[in-house]
Amino acid sequence: MTAQHYTAALALALFTIAPAAIGAGPDAARGRYLIAISGCNDCHTPGYAQQGERIPEAERLTGMSVGFSGPWGVSYPANLRLGASLLGEGDWMAMARRSGLPPMPWTALQAMSDDDLRSIYRYLRGLGAAGQPAPTALAPGQAINTPHFVFVPQMPGAK
Ligand code: HEC
């Protein structure tokens, strides 16, 4: 192949791939990809941060009863599958575009295009409802009755 052939082949390859990857409208496969690259499982799938891909996809995104405690109180990663199965697409979009407690990366969802967010919704709907709702968030000072990670910076050498 000459350099020209390579350029033509590359242009053809990009032309073929690009429409599927960018701006192709909402679809569940894209949602699956976005979830995989955005770290959502680390918090929303029990054990995923420790076991990663060994947790079957059918068991993922059911939320966590291990909370994150900090100055905001305690937050619990929601069961995303129940959430998506209970809400229509429009209501889910409004819910996902809101803001809430840390350490949920709300700004990441806000920065997503509508197509990206709708794709995530469709992927979650496809996975179907599973698991239990995560515990309700606690206000600062409320008694904590679940396991939780403490999100408070420690000074070096502090005991
Ligand atoms: C660092 C942990 C963490 C990561 C990573 C994370 N989340 Fe969350 N998520 C949370 C917590 C905690 C909450 C509950 C926040 C609250 O109570 O306001 C939450 C709540 C949500 C909610 C609200 C659901 C409901 O029914 O109230 C959605 C939607 C959501 N997350 C989607 C995502 C998506 C999509 C990703 C990946 C892009 C993601 N999250 C990554 C911790 C995380």
Side-chain angles (χ1 to χ4, degrees):
M1 262 199 197
T2 65
Q4 252 176 344
H5 282 123
Y6 275 121
T7 313
L10 182 66
L12 185 64
L14 286 177
F15 184 74
T16 320
I17 293 164
I22 307 161
D27 93 292
R30 180 168 161 190
R32 180 173 188 263
Y33 170 75
L34 288 166
I35 291 273
I37 63 166
S38 309
C40 316
N41 279 297
D42 284 342
C43 291
H44 287 276
T45 297
Y48 190 89
Q50 294 78 24
Q51 299 172 55
E53 290 296 299
R54 273 176 293 169
I55 298 191
E57 192 172 1
E59 294 171 17
R60 295 182 195 169
L61 301 170
T62 55
M64 269 221 293
S65 54
V66 180
F68 290 102
S69 105
W72 57 86
V74 185
S75 59
Y76 296 90
N79 183 329
L80 298 184
R81 293 170 61 167
L82 284 186
S85 71
L86 290 172
L87 295 176
E89 190 163 311
D91 288 341
W92 188 87
M93 288 289 288
M95 183 280 292
R97 286 253 183 255
R98 75 193 158 95
S99 194
L101 299 175
M104 166 63 201
W106 292 104
T107 48
L109 262 58
Q110 285 155 15
M112 286 183 188
S113 69
D114 277 359
D115 278 356
D116 284 345
L117 215 43
R118 285 180 193 279
S119 298
I120 287 178
Y121 172 79
R122 291 180 193 191
Y123 171 61
L124 293 170
R125 285 291 288 223
L127 283 177
Q132 303 300 316
T136 308
L138 301 175
Q142 268 189 288
I144 309 172
N145 297 319
T146 65
H148 55 281
F149 298 103
V150 182
F151 252 48
V152 177
Q154 307 289 309
M155 291 307 285
K159 298 253 177 254

